[in-house]
Amino acid sequence: LLRPISLLGEAAERIGKGAMGVAVPVLADDEFGELARTFNRMSQELAASTVSKDFLDSILRNMQDLLVVTDAGGIIRLVNQSTLELLSYREEELIGRPAVILFSGGDREFGGQNLALQVRELAGSREARMVTSTGEEVPVVLSLGLLAEQERPAEGFIITAASEIMAILALSTSYADLEARL
């Protein structure tokens, strides 16, 4: 009796550590066998519907645009490598801090109590100035998004930005490609 339960426990532990699609052998055609078959179906469905943490980490590491994710109060919860490099910060200097520290002067409006309202009111992108760890201002093209599902209240905010130089290079490359095709 303990063998099938032990196998299920080991498989559940492997799934908990990120090994998706783990299957357990069906050793009998009784209640334990039915439990194993149900577990295997659940494991396969979980593997088919789950994006791995490594996959998401790879996207964040290789993303050229700046990405900052905050909670509903505007506190930074995640930043990507491009943000850290362009603004000369270490991750631990930003996580847990208000997003307003990344903006200068009039652009400090992006944060705190007003962020939810601003995200809803601002459509598309706009120019802004972000601040490096040394206080230098970097012009960016900024987009704000709501981190929410359906009609639920915002759980946080997604701030993406491209430095104006990156945006100009992207546009000029696109223009050159278009011109070459014509």
Side-chain angles (χ1 to χ4, degrees):
L1 288 177
L2 293 178
R3 178 90 175 118
I5 294 172
S6 175
L7 291 172
L8 281 169
E10 291 169 8
E13 197 171 300
R14 288 197 319 257
I15 288 174
K17 292 180 180 177
M20 298 296 149
V22 173
V24 295
V26 178
L27 302 174
D29 198 25
D30 57 7
E31 290 86 3
F32 289 114
E34 183 57 33
L35 183 59
R37 281 188 287 279
T38 302
F39 179 89
N40 289 341
R41 279 192 304 273
M42 179 218 48
S43 178
Q44 289 170 350
E45 288 174 13
L46 185 62
S49 66
T50 302
V51 175
S52 78
K53 183 180 182 315
D54 292 339
F55 179 73
L56 292 176
D57 286 344
S58 177
I59 291 170
L60 291 176
R61 268 193 319 278
N62 293 299
M63 185 177 172
Q64 297 298 309
D65 290 345
L66 284 68
L67 174 70
V68 178
V69 179
T70 74
D71 64 14
I75 302 299
I76 299 170
R77 295 295 174 220
L78 180 132
V79 293
N80 69 346
Q81 191 62 37
S82 292
T83 302
L84 299 173
E85 289 173 6
L86 183 68
L87 301 179
S88 302
Y89 278 103
R90 292 187 324 273
E91 187 175 32
E92 59 271 13
E93 293 176 302
L94 295 177
I95 302 298
R97 308 261 327 264
V100 296
I101 67 167
L102 297 176
F103 297 97
S104 72
D107 292 319
R108 283 189 157 254
E109 67 194 45
F110 297 108
Q113 304 289 327
N114 299 326
L115 192 53
L117 182 60
Q118 293 163 36
V119 169
R120 287 184 180 96
E121 290 178 353
L122 292 174
S125 302
R126 66 165 288 215
E127 291 183 23
R129 294 197 171 276
M130 295 184 83
V131 180
T132 68
S133 64
T134 60
E136 294 176 60
E137 292 185 4
V138 178
V140 297
V141 178
L142 182 78
S143 295
L144 301 173
L146 216 44
L147 186 60
E149 294 181 29
Q150 311 270 328
E151 298 298 317
R152 293 175 34 190
E155 295 177 24
F157 306 95
I158 301 167
I159 302 167
T160 57
S163 71
E164 287 186 353
I165 292 169
M166 289 168 53
I168 289 168
L169 287 174
L171 287 173
S172 66
T173 302
S174 296
Y175 181 76
D177 287 346
L178 180 61
E179 198 173 56
R181 288 181 187 173
L182 289 175

